[in-house]
Amino acid sequence: MHSSNPSSPLHNNYLCLVFTSNFPSGTLLTEYQKIEMDSSGFSWKLNDHPKLPKGKTVAVVVLDGWGEAQPNQYNCIHVAETPTMDSLKNGAPDRWRLVKAHGTAVGLPTDDDMGNSEVGHNALGAGRIYAQGAKLVDIALETGKIYDGEGFKYIKECFENGTLHLIGLLSDGGVHSRLDQLQLLLKGSAERGAKRIRVHILTDGRDVLDGSSVGFVETLENDLAKLRGKGIDAQIASGGGRMYVTMDRYENDWDVVKRGWDAQVLGEAPYKFKNAVEAVKKLRELPNANDQYLPPFVIVDDNGKAVGPIVDGDAVVTFNFRADRMVMLAKALEYEDFDKFDRVRFPKIRYAGMLQYDGELKLPSHYLVSPPEIERTSGEYLVHNGIRTFACSETVKFGHVTFFWNGNRSGYFNPELEEYVEIPSDIGITFNVQPKMKALEIAEKARDAILSRKFDQVRVNLPNSDMVGHTGDIEATIISCKAADEAVKMIIGAIEQVGGIYVITADHGNAEDMVKRNKKGEPLLDKNGNIQILTSHTTQPVPIAIGGPGLAPGVRFRKDVPNGGLANVAATVMNLHGFEAPSDYEPTLIEVVDN
């Protein structure tokens, strides 16, 4: 117990515990309960760890976009000079391991879903796995909560005089979207005042059988006919195959998005039909045609006029829940300053995504389903137990090491015990121009916080390998990995000076594989024979390493948590602070063996 702050919860609780032990009647117990418990009997007080001491400074470092993959020329972490991380990996086998950072381990629907910084930091801080993506949408629709949120209220402003446009993948594949979610959203919007609805469909054939699009369109047309029977002007307005229209990703081919834009916004396409079932059936008869690659079409009225172009005063919702193939369209719909293709018209609309597709870009700025409500995060527990906390990153990841770490919650839990420092990121340049970013400055802030001995936990995010990896510049990404490694060295050096403990981990993969691959794992080439650069996150595991002079000699990673993921890190860190984790947290990764 080393809290010198008389107003800290730990200090008060400690005093009360001393006093109550001397009074059989427990006259001061009510004061203790007031501090520790709410009316339900819930207590913030963490039990002491039976074997690990309190009072050690713990540095928690998150290397953003730093996964573990086969060593080759496209693995920038392998190619880069990273002596510090190499020494952790090769030094103590009981104190370095891999953890899962994608898919179900971070609450995403399937293990085909790559991790991202938002869900990664949610899991790291929460210590439990919360539903993300499709599960969140299901809950919001089932409870009706989706209609009470800011996003729906925002688009609803257009219902009186404008059209509601719904754009997305028409499929029950459950990877990017689900037909039943669209059906519920259609019904709910109509019940809440949408008088004119247009659906812009993208046919699948990738996550579901080729040819199944006809049945999906027939189902949707049946639903829209029922709405029309209730006096709502509802119909399909345009369509096309997902791989040829709209759903490109990682800025691979903006022409794909432009084809969709022309049909959805301008009402222009090479094929025109009176109804969508006929459109899909006829277009499937074209040579080499399939659901994935159907050409764009628009539905027209008897005068040959498109029935549903997006115009000023309309509302638009992209109903895919998976982010990667919606980000490019979101940019086109939202960004005033846009140069990827000629939009011809940029209508003044109210646009919302089903979810926010990119937490770093805050894109889109409006969305129907909010991130999960996460309670009792490790950060809040530790502050309640007197752990003085310092958190720092640069602008692009500052929110991850604070807001997302703390369960999608802004601000401090206790300003007397916490300090958060944001270092401004470079602006006006892409990150590959200055690949070292602010790694050195972040490390210096962490070092100073550690050496000040004012803090029990010093937590940072080093963004380099992720943000530079996203640019696709391999040489710059190699430099960025070296810079992050040097930052880790500085932080470990400070921990060694104060007799502390370090925990080095990551939130998801990126820089460890910078090339697109075929099913055999071989690099893909473009038509000119050049490798196709991968700028996205990956599904690779990430490292976690522990060490430092303050780490008790018998501490090692357990062998009985082979499938551990990011959510297991919170209990691990709590242990290193000398506490046991709450019983509903994912199990700790460490054990203490008697030497």
Side-chain angles (χ1 to χ4, degrees):
M1 299 266 181
H2 61 280
S3 174
S4 58
N5 176 1
S7 67
S8 87
L10 180 61
H11 193 94
N12 287 338
N13 298 345
Y14 181 55
L15 288 175
C16 292
L17 280 166
V18 172
F19 285 135
T20 52
S21 66
N22 294 330
F23 285 82
S25 59
T27 48
L28 290 176
L29 196 59
T30 51
E31 179 65 13
Y32 169 63
Q33 286 174 321
K34 187 172 76 180
I35 294 163
E36 284 292 0
M37 296 187 179
D38 64 17
S39 57
S40 69
F42 165 73
S43 171
W44 283 109
K45 180 155 179 57
L46 294 169
N47 292 327
D48 293 348
H49 194 282
K51 294 185 177 179
L52 294 175
K54 292 187 176 58
K56 304 295 183 185
T57 304
V58 179
V60 181
V61 179
V62 180
L63 292 158
D64 215 293
W66 189 290
E68 181 80 5
Q70 293 296 322
N72 57 52
Q73 71 208 80
Y74 307 116
N75 181 338
C76 293
I77 296 167
H78 166 69
V79 176
E81 290 177 40
T82 55
T84 306
M85 291 301 292
D86 291 348
S87 70
L88 296 180
K89 180 178 177 179
N90 301 321
D94 286 340
R95 294 181 173 184
W96 184 96
R97 64 164 287 174
L98 297 174
V99 288
K100 293 183 177 179
H102 75 288
T104 54
V106 290
L108 294 167
T110 76
D111 283 336
D112 292 329
D113 295 314
M114 58 193 175
N116 65 59
S117 299
E118 295 75 49
V119 302
H121 283 78
N122 276 173
L124 284 165
R128 289 145 294 157
I129 300 167
Y130 278 80
Q132 307 272 5
K135 294 179 190 172
L136 274 179
V137 177
D138 285 338
I139 294 163
L141 284 164
E142 282 164 18
T143 59
K145 198 171 178 182
I146 193 168
Y147 306 113
D148 301 325
E150 291 305 313
F152 190 81
K153 288 175 183 170
Y154 174 71
I155 60 160
K156 193 179 174 185
E157 297 282 320
C158 301
F159 286 4
E160 186 63 35
N161 300 310
T163 301
L164 169 63
H165 299 265
L166 301 170
I167 305 175
L169 185 68
L170 189 67
S171 168
D172 64 4
V175 177
H176 292 269
S177 66
R178 281 213 326 268
L179 175 60
D180 60 326
Q181 291 181 349
L182 171 61
Q183 291 172 305
L184 287 169
L185 187 58
L186 275 167
K187 182 172 178 283
S189 300
E191 288 169 354
R192 287 161 181 82
K195 298 172 180 174
R196 194 167 186 271
I197 301 173
R198 295 292 181 268
V199 187
H200 303 266
I201 62 170
L202 301 164
T203 52
D204 190 353
R206 189 176 175 96
D207 301 322
V208 291
L209 290 174
D210 184 51
S212 59
S213 59
V214 176
F216 293 135
V217 176
E218 286 172 341
T219 299
L220 177 59
E221 284 285 24
N222 190 34
D223 287 356
L224 296 174
K226 287 176 185 169
L227 289 178
R228 289 195 294 273
K230 295 176 181 173
I232 293 158
D233 177 4
Q235 52 186 313
I236 294 172
S238 75
R242 58 176 282 179
M243 299 305 290
Y244 193 66
V245 177
T246 299
M247 279 177 60
D248 190 45
R249 64 178 172 185
Y250 317 141
E251 308 210 1
N252 194 45
D253 184 356
W254 277 101
D255 284 345
V256 173
V257 184
K258 184 181 188 305
R259 288 181 204 112
W261 182 273
D262 290 351
Q264 296 147 4
V265 178
L266 306 181
E268 296 171 2
Y271 296 93
K272 297 176 171 61
F273 293 91
K274 292 283 186 67
N275 81 72
V277 176
E278 180 199 5
V280 173
K281 284 180 174 175
K282 281 277 193 297
L283 293 174
R284 279 185 54 79
E285 293 170 5
L286 294 173
N288 303 319
N290 58 37
D291 286 352
Q292 289 189 62
Y293 287 93
L294 286 190
F297 64 86
V298 293
I299 303 302
V300 295
D301 61 17
D302 292 337
N303 299 318
K305 192 174 170 216
V307 300
I310 298 169
V311 298
D312 288 356
D314 286 352
V316 176
V317 171
T318 46
F319 60 81
N320 285 19
F321 48 73
R322 178 158 154 173
D324 55 354
R325 294 188 183 276
M326 284 286 107
V327 168
M328 293 167 72
L329 173 58
K331 288 178 179 177
L333 288 167
E334 186 146 313
Y335 287 174
E336 199 147 333
D337 186 14
F338 179 87
D339 61 2
K340 303 301 183 182
F341 59 83
D342 181 6
R343 292 182 291 192
V344 183
R345 277 194 302 108
F346 180 49
K348 294 181 175 65
I349 59 169
R350 288 181 174 243
Y351 164 52
M354 183 66 96
L355 296 151
Q356 187 165 63
Y357 298 130
D358 192 319
E360 289 155 26
L361 298 174
K362 305 274 191 288
L363 185 77
S365 53
H366 296 274
Y367 39 91
L368 300 188
V369 180
S370 294
E373 292 176 9
I374 299 173
E375 298 174 327
R376 299 186 301 105
T377 61
S378 60
E380 189 167 9
Y381 265 113
L382 289 170
V383 166
H384 272 285
N385 285 270
I387 296 299
R388 302 161 301 171
T389 305
F390 178 89
C392 175
S393 189
E394 60 177 279
T395 305
V396 289
K397 297 291 180 175
F398 174 71
H400 294 82
V401 83
T402 55
F403 175 86
F404 292 107
W405 189 282
N406 289 335
N408 308 321
R409 181 187 185 281
S410 297
Y412 294 117
F413 295 115
N414 181 345
E416 292 180 16
L417 296 182
E418 294 172 280
E419 184 181 341
Y420 299 166
V421 174
E422 176 181 354
I423 296 167
S425 290
D426 293 323
I427 53 174
I429 57 167
T430 51
F431 290 108
N432 56 324
V433 178
Q434 295 277 10
K436 294 182 180 181
M437 297 181 64
K438 304 299 177 189
L440 177 64
E441 292 88 335
I442 294 167
E444 287 172 343
K445 291 285 187 192
R447 176 199 64 195
D448 295 348
I450 292 164
L451 296 181
S452 76
R453 298 179 188 262
K454 289 181 189 169
F455 300 99
D456 306 294
Q457 182 178 113
V458 174
R459 183 171 73 234
V460 299
N461 176 300
L462 297 168
N464 304 59
S465 40
D466 188 49
M467 300 308 292
V468 184
H470 280 313
T471 68
D473 185 330
I474 288 179
E475 288 305 314
T477 305
I478 291 167
I479 295 168
S480 80
C481 294
K482 181 181 180 184
D485 188 77
E486 289 168 349
V488 172
K489 181 183 180 183
M490 182 184 290
I491 294 166
I492 290 178
I495 281 294
E496 287 173 343
Q497 286 185 58
V498 301
I501 300 169
Y502 58 77
V503 179
I504 317 292
T505 188
D507 58 346
H508 57 75
N510 183 336
E512 79 284 357
D513 196 9
M514 298 283 290
V515 65
K516 294 180 182 177
R517 298 180 182 278
N518 63 19
K519 292 256 181 350
K520 294 179 184 171
E522 300 159 341
L524 283 174
L525 305 179
D526 64 17
K527 50 184 176 281
N528 299 319
N530 301 313
I531 62 151
Q532 293 189 36
I533 295 291
L534 181 71
T535 59
S536 73
H537 301 163
T538 70
T539 57
Q540 297 289 352
V542 300
I544 179 170
I546 53 172
L551 189 64
V555 174
R556 66 182 187 189
F557 283 127
R558 295 162 59 177
K559 299 282 194 291
D560 58 348
V561 194
N563 294 316
L566 295 182
N568 299 82
V569 174
T572 309
V573 171
M574 285 173 153
N575 292 172
L576 297 175
H577 280 296
F579 298 105
E580 289 191 323
S583 59
D584 64 337
Y585 269 40
E586 292 294 311
T588 180
L589 296 169
I590 59 172
E591 61 186 359
V592 187
V593 291
D594 298 322
N595 288 343

